[in-house]
Amino acid sequence: MLYTKNGSIPKPETDGTEGWLEVPMPPEAPEGKEVVWLNWEWVVRDPKPVDRDGYRWKWNHDQMQWIEYALPQTIVSELPTDPLPALTSADVVALTSEQIGAL
Amino acid sequence: MGLLSTFGAASGRAFGLTRLSAAIKDAYFNLTTLLLPGNGTNGAQNNTFLDSSTNNFTITRNGNTTQGTFSPFSQTGWSNYFDASSYLNVGTTRFLDASAWTVEMWVNTTSTANSVTLAAQYVAGGGGFAQRTVLGINNSSGTVYIFQGGTAQSGTTNVADGRWHHIAFVLSAGTVKAYVDGINEATFSSFGSPTAVTTTFFYDSANSSSYFLGYASNLRVTNTAVYTANFTVPTSPLTAITGTQLLTCQSNRFIDNSTNNYAITVNGTPSVQAFSPFAPTAAYSAATNGGSGYSDGTGDYLTIATNANLTLGSSDFTIELWWYPTAFNSDGEIFTMGSNAGTNRCYAMYSSGSNGTLAAFAGTGGSSWDIVSNLSMGTAIRNAWNHMAFTRSGTTFSTYLNGVRIATTTASGTLGSNALGVFANNSGTSAAPASYIGGARTIKGTALYTGTTYTIPTAPFTAVTNTNLLLNFTNAGITDATAKNDLETVGNAQISTTQSKWGGSSMYFDGTGDYLFQSGNSPQNALGTGDFTIEYWIYFSALSGSTASVILDYRPSSTAGAYPTMYINTSFKLVYEANSGTRITSSTSISTGTWYHVAFVRASGSTKMYLNGTNEGATYTDSTNYLGSSGRPIIAADGYTLGSQAMNGYIDDLRITKGYARYTANFTAPTAAFPVQ
């Protein structure tokens, strides 16, 4: 017998706290299949297909199948470079209008 | 603070643990951007969602929907993150016209590639430099400056070091003084009235490259000179003192907490972040701070099967949730019983188009919204928490956004009964854009909000009377104690009590497709150009002489460059790789069955590796501007080829500190778990 608490992956022992529930042993995985614990049940399924760049396979539990989705890839912090002249502390006292415009 | 002692290294810099009378605190917790203590129930993942109402409905997870500690009620305080196209303004309000004022805030700057603006006023129609007024940070020196009419005065401290700095500009008697961390660094005499048309914050409308890049927290503008001499910087969030005109960048959304209660205009895509200059007042607690669920908008959603106890029928009701969208790229159903386009339309909260327009619907369960159709709920703000509510009181249906009634209508009818979808409709289509939900609740029999306004909840939802569904998203097993990140436990990544360095458990990865994936909106995961410390305890069950074991990888898919990677190579050495090259290799061979403390530290442009507190390998001269990327860092597997070269073993107490080098010389490895506050 195995035990789960709040949906955790079933283990043969508990830690003695409240909330552990008995669950059945996992079934044997047929050739080429895998057995995983998902949504409070053992699921026999095909292994996840290999992701292509820009796509990700996701398990749809309601349909019991893998579905491939296109994913956005966002670089968070690639910053632009200021094409304008740098301003040093020595420069910033009494600038001309032209210099200020270049800031 | 009741400081009693400091835990430090045997040599070198203390690692920032201070013992208080009741709890051990980390003086640099406010720079800690990820902390995974690895404590929890044996076998726990982040994949099982719970209904905390008495109904205890079974919730089905589809796709990679995950949950974690990022929530509307962060214990860490708040800031706003500004990228290269973001700024705030308050209508046409001119804050700098007064004869005395103070503009103050904390900043954590990620770049000064451009001279950046913190506050500016200028003359409409390009009226010239003479009246242009800028309070900002210089691009090359990283010092603050005051500019007006062709003249500028600069400070001396480089504030662009990845750490928090308090900056104050104070006008009194025609002179502006700039203070950095309480010290007067620049004085501008003969400051004239700007006679401008508006004030912008974090951008100068007259200078297209002057966007502030980084985090700003607790921006306060007062019409008094708050500081007249050097001062001790406040250690807690600012309050609305006498004369406060604006108080913002300190909440879970873009609001003005001054009595003016100005509407903040959000330009570009700034974001609300659980990252602040302040030490938290307490450690993260699920009950106090809550959590969130996260969907990336593609195949991630939750469902609850049809149940008579779930339906709202003809009763009074309340449907409410916190929503933090990170994109507005499509129409989508956020919380729907049935589906918007189906023949089972019961109720829906819907976001449409590219601007977050919200609406509520109610139907009897047929093919039309025959009770309430498209009742406006206002417009959600991207990258901020939005509290949304839809209520029925008798025949009156009302919508609310952030405590304000948006619309009301009168109708009758019995709402239909069907399965419920969260982050999408109940068949997984019409998905909401990438977003967090920071708690959701339905109440059958009570309209919790009936007036024109209400006080927005300041704590996680609880099962008040008549609650028939309660989602608090607090059942994650692997959680971030800084409350900044929701992590996806991919494969069988789980909590394990088999091995533990501290706390009786750790994070276990079996080497076959297990890893942690970052969700959503965490720009602080980009390490930038400043100091940093990445450290963890690690225990390998197996190592391979033919395949590397990746521990932490910031690289996006198929992209190398300015991203660090840490792994054990096929010679069993610990390696630091960056900029497409091996930079540091340990002299010690790593063995299985042993706990090691590992630290990678960049201090003033030099990155070092420490193994059990001892510096190993070369020092990498490192000026890299380390970038961030969605879903990164990957923990326990490769990011370049996602999920490959997965490690087989355990990680405990993984901590990333941005902006601070915790170790600058050999040290005694930590002798206790890291503080969680």
Side-chain angles (χ1 to χ4, degrees):
Chain A
M1 190 57 69
L2 299 175
Y3 302 89
T4 180
K5 183 173 182 176
N6 293 332
S8 62
I9 295 174
K11 303 291 180 183
E13 70 287 333
T14 76
D15 59 10
T17 58
E18 293 183 354
W20 291 90
L21 302 174
E22 287 186 0
V23 299
M25 298 293 287
E28 289 291 322
E31 183 71 22
K33 301 281 188 179
E34 65 178 11
V35 177
V36 295
W37 173 257
L38 289 172
N39 293 314
W40 301 88
E41 61 181 337
W42 295 109
V43 176
V44 179
R45 67 181 186 185
D46 293 326
K48 180 186 172 186
V50 175
D51 290 325
R52 297 181 293 155
D53 277 353
Y55 295 84
R56 199 169 181 190
W57 288 95
K58 295 190 175 186
W59 176 251
N60 187 296
H61 200 80
D62 288 334
Q63 299 179 33
M64 287 290 172
Q65 64 176 342
W66 292 101
I67 299 175
E68 188 179 39
Y69 295 90
L71 291 178
Q73 181 75 18
T74 305
I75 304 298
V76 174
S77 56
E78 207 151 18
L79 301 174
T81 301
D82 193 345
L84 302 172
L87 179 71
T88 68
S89 56
D91 294 331
V92 295
V93 178
L95 295 175
T96 66
S97 297
E98 288 73 19
Q99 287 173 312
I100 299 305
L103 281 176
Chain B
M1 298 172 66
L3 189 69
L4 295 180
S5 64
T6 298
F7 285 84
S11 60
R13 184 178 292 177
F15 53 85
L17 312 185
T18 54
R19 183 189 293 278
L20 300 184
S21 55
I24 298 172
K25 296 193 176 185
D26 173 8
Y28 298 96
F29 196 87
N30 66 341
L31 295 174
T32 304
T33 54
L34 181 67
L35 175 56
L36 305 180
N39 296 331
T41 300
N42 194 23
Q45 298 189 284
N46 298 353
N47 304 342
T48 304
F49 296 82
L50 301 181
D51 165 26
S52 300
S53 78
T54 54
N55 287 318
N56 191 25
F57 290 122
T58 297
I59 298 170
T60 298
R61 175 211 194 213
N62 291 282
N64 302 327
T65 317
T66 193
Q67 61 195 312
T69 55
F70 180 58
S71 89
F73 314 107
S74 167
Q75 82 281 14
T76 65
W78 299 98
S79 63
N80 293 161
Y81 175 71
F82 296 88
D83 58 20
S85 60
S86 303
Y87 67 100
L88 307 177
N89 68 289
V90 182
T92 56
T93 306
R94 297 159 48 170
F95 291 100
L96 305 185
D97 282 7
S99 58
W101 45 252
T102 300
V103 178
E104 63 181 310
M105 69 194 80
W106 281 261
V107 297
N108 186 314
T109 306
T110 56
S111 172
T112 53
N114 306 317
S115 289
V116 299
T117 298
L118 300 176
Q121 281 189 198
Y122 69 103
V123 172
F129 302 113
Q131 297 302 325
R132 191 167 144 204
T133 300
V134 178
L135 311 175
I137 300 174
N138 188 287
N139 59 344
S140 62
S141 61
T143 58
V144 299
Y145 69 88
I146 310 156
F147 167 80
Q148 188 183 63
T151 301
Q153 294 290 340
S154 284
T156 55
T157 298
N158 180 1
V159 300
D161 58 356
R163 301 179 69 167
W164 286 105
H165 294 278
H166 181 266
I167 295 174
F169 300 95
V170 182
L171 171 65
S172 178
T175 294
V176 177
K177 292 186 176 182
Y179 297 86
V180 176
D181 297 326
I183 306 298
N184 177 212
E185 291 200 352
T187 299
F188 190 110
S189 303
S190 303
F191 190 86
S193 173
T195 62
V197 295
T198 190
T199 306
T200 55
F201 295 98
F202 312 110
Y203 175 58
D204 174 6
S205 302
N207 183 354
S208 61
S209 64
S210 66
Y211 291 106
F212 171 68
L213 302 169
Y215 304 83
S217 185
N218 283 263
L219 164 62
R220 183 171 67 184
V221 182
T222 55
N223 60 10
T224 61
V226 175
Y227 310 110
T228 56
N230 292 349
F231 57 92
T232 300
V233 173
T235 57
S236 58
L238 299 179
T239 58
I241 59 176
T242 300
T244 297
Q245 302 299 299
L246 179 69
L247 181 57
T248 188
C249 303
Q250 62 169 196
S251 304
N252 60 11
R253 54 201 190 285
F254 296 100
I255 57 171
D256 171 23
N257 291 318
S258 80
T259 55
N260 288 324
N261 190 25
Y262 284 122
I264 305 288
T265 302
V266 176
N267 304 275
T269 55
S271 59
V272 168
Q273 296 292 328
F275 186 43
S276 90
F278 311 113
T281 54
Y284 169 83
S285 150
T288 302
N289 306 112
S292 64
Y294 177 76
S295 159
D296 69 9
T298 54
D300 298 349
Y301 67 103
L302 308 174
T303 54
I304 302 172
T306 304
N307 190 299
N309 290 331
L310 185 60
T311 187
L312 299 175
S314 58
S315 304
D316 291 355
F317 68 74
T318 302
I319 306 167
E320 62 180 327
L321 57 84
W322 285 95
W323 194 46
Y324 185 112
T326 61
F328 289 138
N329 53 11
S330 61
D331 296 352
E333 295 173 56
I334 305 165
F335 196 84
T336 299
M337 180 173 282
S339 68
N340 181 42
T343 57
N344 49 11
R345 304 183 190 191
C346 305
Y347 64 76
M349 285 182 171
Y350 193 86
S351 168
S352 63
S354 59
N355 65 352
T357 301
L358 302 173
F361 301 79
T364 57
S367 59
S368 67
W369 293 112
D370 51 358
I371 300 177
V372 174
S373 180
N374 203 22
L375 187 63
S376 173
M377 195 180 271
T379 301
I381 300 297
R382 177 178 168 174
N383 294 326
W385 286 107
N386 300 268
H387 181 258
M388 303 160 53
F390 180 31
T391 68
R392 175 182 190 168
S393 176
T395 57
T396 300
F397 292 77
S398 300
T399 57
Y400 296 86
L401 181 62
N402 293 326
V404 176
R405 188 166 66 196
I406 302 298
T408 186
T409 190
T410 301
S412 59
T414 300
L415 274 65
S417 177
N418 210 277
L420 179 70
V422 182
F423 292 116
N425 63 33
N426 64 8
S427 58
T429 56
S430 185
S435 55
Y436 299 87
I437 292 180
R441 176 169 67 181
T442 64
I443 304 170
K444 181 181 182 181
T446 307
L448 212 54
Y449 314 115
T450 54
T452 55
T453 62
Y454 60 87
T455 300
I456 299 172
T458 57
F461 298 137
T462 58
V464 297
T465 301
N466 293 331
T467 297
N468 62 344
L469 177 67
L470 177 58
L471 306 178
N472 278 330
F473 303 103
T474 53
N475 192 42
I478 295 179
T479 56
D480 174 17
T482 75
K484 294 175 175 56
N485 301 277
D486 287 3
L487 301 167
E488 179 188 336
T489 48
V490 180
N492 293 322
Q494 62 187 279
I495 293 291
S496 173
T497 55
T498 302
Q499 296 293 337
S500 173
K501 185 61 187 177
W502 314 113
S505 60
S506 63
M507 296 169 281
Y508 174 56
F509 309 91
D510 67 9
T512 57
D514 295 357
Y515 59 93
L516 303 180
F517 186 89
Q518 302 278 343
S519 69
N521 179 35
S522 301
Q524 58 268 31
N525 288 327
L527 294 171
T529 57
D531 295 349
F532 63 77
T533 306
I534 300 170
E535 61 185 317
Y536 42 82
W537 288 90
I538 194 154
Y539 177 110
F540 288 95
S541 301
L543 288 165
S544 169
S546 59
T547 304
S549 297
V550 179
I551 304 163
L552 197 64
D553 194 357
Y554 282 78
R555 294 176 300 173
S557 293
S558 304
T559 304
Y563 308 95
T565 306
M566 285 139 266
Y567 62 96
I568 308 298
N569 67 15
T570 53
S571 300
F572 310 116
K573 306 293 187 184
L574 178 63
V575 174
Y576 181 84
E577 182 174 310
N579 293 310
S580 304
T582 298
R583 306 300 173 184
I584 311 173
T585 303
S586 70
S587 53
T588 299
S589 293
I590 302 300
S591 301
T592 59
T594 301
W595 280 105
Y596 296 92
H597 180 261
V598 172
F600 294 95
V601 183
R602 178 163 70 179
S604 303
S606 294
T607 298
K608 295 177 183 290
M609 170 199 295
Y610 296 90
L611 187 62
N612 289 330
T614 300
N615 179 216
E616 292 207 9
T619 296
Y620 175 40
T621 300
D622 188 1
S623 59
T624 309
N625 177 15
Y626 287 111
L627 305 177
S629 180
S630 61
R632 303 304 190 266
I634 298 296
I635 297 169
D638 192 287
Y640 186 94
T641 303
L642 185 60
S644 66
Q645 304 186 104
M647 63 165 277
N648 184 348
Y650 302 82
I651 298 176
D652 211 351
D653 244 12
L654 186 152
R655 180 169 70 178
I656 298 176
T657 309
K658 181 175 181 291
Y660 184 61
R662 290 181 183 265
Y663 315 107
T664 56
N666 290 347
F667 58 95
T668 300
T671 55
F674 296 137
V676 292
Q677 61 178 305

